[in-house]
Amino acid sequence: MAHPSIAQMTLDEKLLLLGGQDNWHFYGVERLGIPAIRTCDGPHGVRVHTDRPDGSCDPATNFPCASALAASFNPDLLKEVGETIAKECRHYGVQVLLGPGVNGKRSPLAGRNFEYYSEDPYLSGTLAASFIQGLQKHKVGTSIKHFIANEQETSRLFISSNVDERTLHEIYLTPFEIAIKHANPWTVMASYNRINGVYGCENTHTLMDLLKTKLGYDGLVVSDWGAVNDKVDSVKYGLDIQMPGHVELDLRLKAAVERGEIPMAVIDDHVERILRLGERVYKQSERYLTLDLEAHHTFARKTAAETLVLLKNDGILPLKKNTKIAVIGRFADDQVRYNGGGSSWLNAYRVERPLDALKTKAKVIYAPGYDQEKVTKALTLEAIAAAQQAKTVLFFTGTTSSMESEGFDRANIDLPQSHRKLLAQVAKVNPNIVVILNNGAAVDLRDTQPMARAILEAWLLGSAAGQPIADVLFGDINPSGKLAETFPLRLEHTPAYGNFPGQTDHVDYTEGLLVGYRHYDTRKLEVMYPFGHGLSYTTFKFGPLSVSTTELNAQDSLTVSLSVTNTGKRSGSEVVQLYVQDPVSSVLRPEKELRAFKKVFLEPQETQTVTLTLNARDFSVYVPHLGRYAVESGAFNLLIGASSRDIRRQVSVNVHSSDKVRPHLTLDYPYTQWIRYPQEKVQIEALVKATRPPFWWETEPPLNRWLLILKREFNWSDADEARIKAQLLEEA
């Protein structure tokens, strides 16, 4: 049933709703008491623009970047982050937060990778759903972005992402699908780029066929800011609102409606979705009058602590308190790297410096080391002197503010050469080095890893970064983060190398399904640190696997259970990761795929049972000729690990299905393909027989057929043939 306000609207009012009132507001209809809706940037916190002359923003809590949040492997934490940001939105009168981002990670060079959760679509979608649930619980809408296949900044306004249908579904649509199924974000942001040649904001296949029809999405689709190529086509093919404003009445659009090119039912559907959003965000819409930013900062500190990943540790960590340490690098002091550039920037309420926190735990000798990427002789000598006086060196490095941002892709995945040279100089005088990384995406650590006794991945950790880093280094907190993206040995090993960011006006996703660990594990490539990797100050033992059944039909669910024991002397958390492997398939399958995970906290010597559930989708592939997901019968291996390369337990199950996953064979396929499959073999032989005269051996009786073969083989005469035939008949 249509919203009652639609019948009361004029055509001009309806069409005006399909654009932005200004940079940050959707139109309302004042005459009918329908208010405007305020939006704000903020995947990592809310950026609240003010009307002050200096254009400043109101203070807000800056949480860790999305790639850091993903390292927590903790959906409950993401939900709480969403709730906290929602409270700040409600205080500042914001109805829709423009986030989260769930695009894929074809290459670590992509400039906005820090804004996206993971290279794994299941992990991305699961975390995004929890984040959205937290925000929308407080009646603040989200805008999950950027729909779809928007994996680069280079030429982002017009590049065509050319991707096959199976890859589009399994890798790039999956995070959106999971989020819509489990959280129903109230808006979806359509992307700048073209998808297979058609702009994302006027793409009937992605917006109508996939999003609104196949996924049954009932929310509102808004354009990325400035992404609309043709207003009439965008309205015709699925976009609901064009942003930003001031978007005035489009006479060409009005004429298209009046002459019937765009049916009124299409316009009313757009308006219905806009009004539905209004009802969702304005229900219980009073502002939250109080705002405790200090309490939120404390929670951001707790969040940051759970995202830190200990990549390497030969036993040097945790450090002993009150020891003498050298802290080298301005990232620890006045150039704290806590967020990336672009739309994720916000006015952080308070920024902690790691140096200040470290001074409360140890005797610190500080040396700036560098100014962004600039290292002078004087800075080098100062750093060397500090290292000589200390027992341990804490070396802060990472990407600089000009290396990771919206608007451009990275030139390489190296740490600054100047930082690496400085580290080499320091290592000559003190081998006890702990490297702390501040970056939003994978980096090349070939030069760094040999010089470090320990490496702590501290990401772009948000404005409450200082205390968590110090707490983990000194053992007050046991690190529990796990990599949500692979750290390769080198850029040349990455899935899209040589095909990123494409040529001229297009980029072909030729790596297909093999992105991230799917690529490295399937192709047996060595990596620096695998997906899911992260060390702890304690140890964990995985018990035997048990499954609810080893024989199941495709539509059945399956539970997998095992015990996990903390065998060390410290409390800590482990992430149990369940991968599914299809060892024999008629279509390409990655070596393994993450299908479930659970983070469990354990006291020393404590044991808990972890139970994970799988269903048909976890065994399936998208089958283009069927237009849906399907399961191919066969044996599947269920792999339990602490990373994609650290598999601890395995069990096999048989899944029975009537689905025909492999493509239908045609006469274009060689006969060797046909004879592999009995059903098609019968069909092709019947077809061949029907389209040619019969051969002699098909028409002769069996005895005559064999005698003819022998006659030709041994050059018998007609008399020989008659004699042997008579003998055979007599014996018979």
Side-chain angles (χ1 to χ4, degrees):
M1 184 176 179
H3 193 285
S5 296
I6 294 178
Q8 303 175 50
M9 289 183 190
T10 65
L11 177 58
D12 287 359
E13 287 172 333
K14 291 179 181 180
L15 298 182
L16 203 58
L17 284 175
L18 309 188
Q21 180 178 330
D22 55 34
N23 279 349
W24 302 109
H25 289 83
F26 300 158
Y27 269 112
V29 181
E30 186 176 357
R31 180 179 68 85
L32 299 177
I34 300 171
I37 292 173
R38 185 182 188 184
T39 69
C40 268
D41 272 324
H44 310 139
V46 61
R47 181 170 71 194
V48 186
H49 294 270
T50 70
D51 296 327
R52 291 189 286 267
D54 61 358
S56 60
C57 296
D58 284 324
T61 306
N62 196 152
F63 283 92
C65 66
S67 55
L69 290 172
S72 74
F73 273 74
N74 188 344
D76 292 338
L77 181 69
L78 270 288
K79 185 175 182 179
E80 197 170 352
V81 170
E83 288 194 54
T84 305
I85 294 175
K87 292 174 184 176
E88 297 187 15
C89 289
R90 290 289 295 273
H91 176 78
Y92 289 123
V94 172
Q95 283 86 42
V96 175
L97 183 84
L98 302 177
V102 294
N103 290 102
K105 300 190 180 189
R106 295 184 61 231
S107 169
L109 292 175
R112 297 183 81 172
N113 274 358
F114 69 95
E115 288 188 51
Y116 306 139
Y117 292 118
S118 174
E119 69 189 21
D120 182 80
Y122 169 74
L123 179 59
S124 289
T126 301
L127 296 176
S130 291
F131 180 80
I132 292 164
Q133 288 168 357
L135 272 151
Q136 295 186 171
K137 175 182 176 181
H138 292 266
K139 306 305 177 185
V140 175
T142 55
S143 192
I144 191 170
K145 59 185 185 180
H146 308 83
F147 196 78
I148 189 175
N150 180 202
E151 277 70 50
Q152 66 187 66
E153 293 300 281
T154 302
S155 305
R156 67 174 181 172
L157 297 181
F158 59 85
I159 195 77
S160 177
S161 300
N162 298 335
V163 54
D164 69 90
E165 199 69 10
R166 184 181 167 201
T167 299
L168 184 67
H169 277 78
E170 291 191 28
I171 302 297
Y172 301 105
L173 182 63
T174 291
F176 292 95
E177 179 183 3
I178 293 173
I180 289 169
K181 178 180 179 181
H182 295 286
N184 194 26
W186 293 340
T187 83
V188 169
M189 185 184 294
S191 57
Y192 287 113
N193 57 295
R194 293 177 294 148
I195 303 98
N196 294 324
V198 182
Y199 279 100
C201 288
E202 56 193 57
N203 193 310
T204 187
H205 178 56
T206 58
L207 296 184
M208 295 301 298
D209 298 344
L210 296 185
L211 181 60
K212 292 185 175 181
T213 301
K214 181 170 284 189
L215 299 188
Y217 180 61
D218 73 347
L220 178 152
V221 181
V222 59
S223 75
D224 202 341
W225 269 226
V228 170
N229 173 63
D230 184 281
K231 180 62 179 283
V232 173
D233 282 349
S234 72
V235 171
K236 188 185 300 183
Y237 298 127
L239 189 78
D240 298 309
I241 292 184
Q242 174 187 353
M243 288 296 285
H246 181 69
V247 178
E248 298 180 345
L249 185 64
D250 189 312
L251 296 180
R252 190 170 67 95
L253 173 62
K254 185 177 181 180
V257 176
E258 290 177 334
R259 66 173 175 266
E261 179 183 340
I262 303 177
M264 186 58 69
V266 170
I267 300 299
D268 287 349
D269 179 71
H270 293 312
V271 174
E272 179 82 31
R273 292 169 182 269
I274 294 166
L275 297 178
R276 185 179 298 132
L277 173 65
E279 290 184 338
R280 285 168 167 169
V281 300
Y282 279 107
K283 187 178 181 181
Q284 303 177 2
S285 63
E286 74 282 355
R287 287 193 177 191
Y288 291 177
L289 298 179
T290 60
L291 180 61
D292 191 344
L293 286 174
E294 191 60 35
H296 291 182
H297 182 85
T298 299
F299 172 63
R301 183 184 292 162
K302 172 181 176 292
T303 301
E306 201 165 336
T307 70
L308 288 159
V309 182
L310 185 57
L311 297 177
K312 176 183 179 180
N313 183 25
D314 69 358
I316 191 174
L317 295 180
L319 300 172
K320 293 182 179 179
K321 293 182 180 178
N322 298 317
T323 189
K324 185 180 286 187
I325 63 173
V327 177
I328 297 175
R330 291 185 69 178
F331 287 179
D333 188 22
D334 59 338
Q335 291 181 359
V336 180
R337 289 283 288 127
Y338 64 92
N339 206 346
S343 58
S344 67
W345 179 87
L346 58 89
N347 179 18
Y349 160 66
R350 178 158 68 88
V351 179
E352 292 183 5
R353 299 184 182 189
L355 181 61
D356 295 334
L358 291 167
K359 286 179 177 178
T360 68
K361 298 179 183 293
K363 300 171 184 177
V364 174
I365 306 165
Y366 172 67
Y370 49 78
D371 180 2
Q372 294 292 337
E373 294 185 50
K374 184 178 180 181
V375 177
T376 64
K377 184 176 181 180
L379 288 171
T380 300
L381 292 174
E382 185 180 2
I384 291 172
Q388 288 174 323
Q389 300 174 57
K391 181 178 180 181
T392 306
V393 174
L394 304 183
F395 191 92
F396 283 75
T397 183
T399 57
T400 64
S401 56
S402 63
M403 293 171 69
E404 286 186 284
S405 175
E406 178 182 0
F408 58 86
D409 292 318
R410 298 161 70 185
N412 54 60
I413 60 170
D414 300 335
L415 295 172
Q417 185 180 32
S418 56
H419 290 204
R420 288 180 280 135
K421 287 183 176 180
L422 176 62
L423 177 61
Q425 293 296 317
V426 169
K428 291 178 181 179
V429 300
N430 192 330
N432 299 317
I433 296 175
V434 178
V435 170
I436 297 93
L437 298 172
N438 292 126
N439 49 286
V443 289
D444 186 334
L445 296 174
R446 283 176 295 160
D447 293 344
T448 304
Q449 201 262 1
M451 292 185 284
R453 291 187 60 189
I455 302 175
L456 181 66
E457 176 54 80
W459 309 107
L460 306 176
L461 207 55
S463 56
Q467 194 65 48
I469 291 174
D471 286 344
V472 166
L473 291 173
F474 282 88
D476 296 304
I477 291 175
N478 193 347
S480 64
K482 299 277 189 173
L483 290 180
E485 59 193 88
T486 306
F487 276 39
L489 280 178
R490 58 196 309 151
L491 180 63
E492 291 81 358
H493 290 180
T494 56
Y497 181 76
N499 193 26
F500 181 96
Q503 298 180 2
T504 59
D505 65 344
H506 68 277
V507 57
D508 298 324
Y509 286 38
T510 54
E511 70 282 355
L513 302 170
L514 300 184
V515 294
Y517 70 88
R518 289 165 166 80
H519 159 76
Y520 300 106
D521 291 358
T522 303
R523 294 192 165 121
K524 313 302 182 188
L525 289 171
E526 290 299 316
V527 299
M528 182 61 73
Y529 297 110
F531 175 87
H533 169 75
L535 303 178
S536 172
Y537 294 148
T538 188
T539 54
F540 300 94
K541 179 181 178 181
F542 290 5
L545 282 183
S546 65
V547 293
S548 57
T549 181
T550 58
E551 301 284 339
L552 66 154
N553 294 321
Q555 67 271 19
D556 297 336
S557 61
L558 169 75
T559 58
V560 182
S561 299
L562 74 157
S563 63
V564 182
T565 302
N566 180 349
T567 55
K569 297 179 180 180
R570 291 173 176 264
S571 59
S573 296
E574 177 63 295
V575 178
V576 179
Q577 303 164 39
L578 172 55
Y579 298 85
V580 172
Q581 180 184 66
D582 186 356
V584 179
S585 174
S586 62
V587 297
L588 173 68
R589 297 293 298 263
E591 170 71 15
K592 64 179 76 74
E593 296 175 278
L594 183 72
R595 289 296 188 242
F597 64 89
K598 177 68 175 179
K599 191 169 192 175
V600 56
F601 175 82
L602 297 167
E603 296 290 350
Q605 306 307 310
E606 182 185 1
T607 298
Q608 288 188 26
T609 298
V610 173
T611 300
L612 303 167
T613 302
L614 300 176
N615 55 41
R617 180 63 178 271
D618 298 314
F619 298 99
S620 67
V621 296
Y622 185 80
V623 184
H625 70 261
L626 297 178
R628 61 176 175 85
Y629 279 88
V631 179
E632 186 172 39
S633 291
F636 290 81
N637 296 327
L638 310 183
L639 313 176
I640 292 286
S643 81
S644 74
R645 296 285 176 97
D646 183 8
I647 301 302
R648 308 278 184 87
R649 294 286 184 267
Q650 176 176 331
V651 67
S652 293
V653 299
N654 292 311
V655 182
H656 306 281
S657 172
S658 59
D659 291 331
K660 185 177 176 183
V661 168
R662 59 181 173 77
H664 294 295
L665 298 182
T666 68
L667 290 177
D668 294 327
Y669 284 80
Y671 186 69
T672 53
Q673 283 288 94
W674 280 94
I675 62 177
R676 291 177 58 192
Y677 305 109
Q679 184 178 359
E680 276 87 347
K681 182 182 178 183
V682 171
Q683 293 172 348
I684 193 66
E685 288 180 342
L687 180 62
V688 170
K689 188 174 182 179
T691 56
R692 59 152 174 80
F695 293 109
W696 61 268
W697 59 78
E698 293 175 323
T699 57
E700 290 284 348
L703 178 60
N704 289 353
R705 190 182 312 160
W706 284 107
L707 286 172
L708 185 56
I709 293 172
L710 292 170
K711 180 179 179 181
R712 291 178 177 179
E713 181 70 23
F714 297 106
N715 197 27
W716 288 345
S717 66
D718 292 342
D720 292 330
E721 178 186 359
R723 176 173 52 80
I724 294 171
K725 182 176 181 181
Q727 290 176 354
L728 291 173
L729 290 172
E730 183 179 350
E731 292 176 4

